[in-house]
Amino acid sequence: MIISFDLDGTLVDYSYADSVWCEGVPKIYAGEKKIGFDEAKKYVMNEYMKVGERKIEWYNINYWFNYFGLKTDWKFLLKKYENRINVYPEVKNVLLELSKKHRLIISSNAASEFVDVMVKKIGNYFEYTFSSTSDFRLVKKTPEFYLKLLEQLKIGKDEIIHVGDHYEFDYLVPKRIGIKSFYVDRNNTRKGRDVLRDLNGLIDKL
């Protein structure tokens, strides 16, 4: 069995991504344009929103550095904030246990540049990593994403389980097309047999 994991909100919290986009990029913009951080952040955040998360550019850090005319290498920024990658406490033990019996992969909405950095912090548990935005040019994990995943892995719907923290795109969408899925609800807002408070509960479900 292949177990597919979402990344942000499932294996790591959102600190790293938020730090890069909401602190790192504005700081660089402020420094290069010689303006205050608050002014830079307001401008940068407004420009993000003009594009919006339904467009592929939203997820592309190289696009934004070019858009803002920044000379700093964006790879420096991703490395600078590596210490903000917070892996949830139970994750490594659960992955170690699951990897003894199952093949593990990452199926994330984040761009591959972010995925690669975060996966290094988690550890060498994953056979493959897939980014909906970088690998398939899809802004969300739609049915098309999961079908492409099956095609890439050369497996059927009954040979994979997906686990993630977005109720629609990690749970309902794969479930609707026949893929077993579990919803990670760390904020304890939902109940059900497919709802996990954290990943410890996953081992008992398999």
Side-chain angles (χ1 to χ4, degrees), residues 15-16 22 38 41 56 80 84 113 117 128 132-134 138-141 143-144 147 166 178 181 186 198:
S15 299
Y16 178 63
C22 304
D38 290 342
K41 183 175 181 179
I56 201 75
K80 177 182 178 181
R84 303 276 182 94
E113 294 85 358
V117 176
Y128 299 107
S132 63
T133 50
S134 299
L138 297 170
V139 297
K140 296 294 181 185
K141 285 183 276 190
E144 184 181 359
L147 293 174
H166 195 289
S181 56
R186 294 183 181 276
D198 58 35

Side-chain angles (χ1 to χ4, degrees), residues 5-66:
F5 289 95
D6 174 54
L7 194 47
D8 289 291
T10 301
L11 302 181
V12 303
D13 68 21
Y14 289 92
S15 299
Y16 178 63
D18 288 348
S19 295
V20 170
W21 292 114
C22 304
E23 180 183 325
V25 175
K27 272 188 176 180
I28 290 174
Y29 188 87
E32 292 193 13
K33 307 302 180 182
K34 295 181 171 43
I35 61 174
F37 174 75
D38 290 342
E39 181 184 353
K41 183 175 181 179
K42 182 178 180 180
Y43 171 72
V44 166
M45 300 302 288
N46 283 339
E47 295 306 301
Y48 289 161
M49 297 310 296
K50 286 180 183 178
V51 170
E53 62 182 31
R54 292 186 178 275
K55 292 186 178 179
I56 201 75
E57 290 82 6
W58 170 276
Y59 306 89
N60 188 334
I61 194 165
N62 186 55
Y63 165 83
W64 286 110
F65 268 59
N66 289 332

Side-chain angles (χ1 to χ4, degrees), residues 171-183:
Y171 177 62
L172 293 180
V173 170
K175 186 177 181 180
R176 285 183 189 129
I177 64 170
I179 293 175
K180 178 66 177 175
S181 56
F182 290 100
Y183 172 56

Side-chain angles (χ1 to χ4, degrees), residues 110-156:
S112 59
E113 294 85 358
F114 285 79
V115 172
D116 292 345
V117 176
M118 288 186 279
V119 166
K120 284 182 182 178
K121 182 69 175 283
I122 297 169
N124 188 29
Y125 302 100
F126 306 102
E127 187 173 340
Y128 299 107
T129 62
F130 295 97
S131 162
S132 63
T133 50
S134 299
D135 294 322
F136 303 131
R137 303 290 292 173
L138 297 170
V139 297
K140 296 294 181 185
K141 285 183 276 190
T142 59
E144 184 181 359
F145 168 78
Y146 290 102
L147 293 174
K148 285 180 178 290
L149 201 62
L150 298 178
E151 184 180 342
Q152 288 285 320
L153 295 168
K154 296 180 172 59
I155 59 171

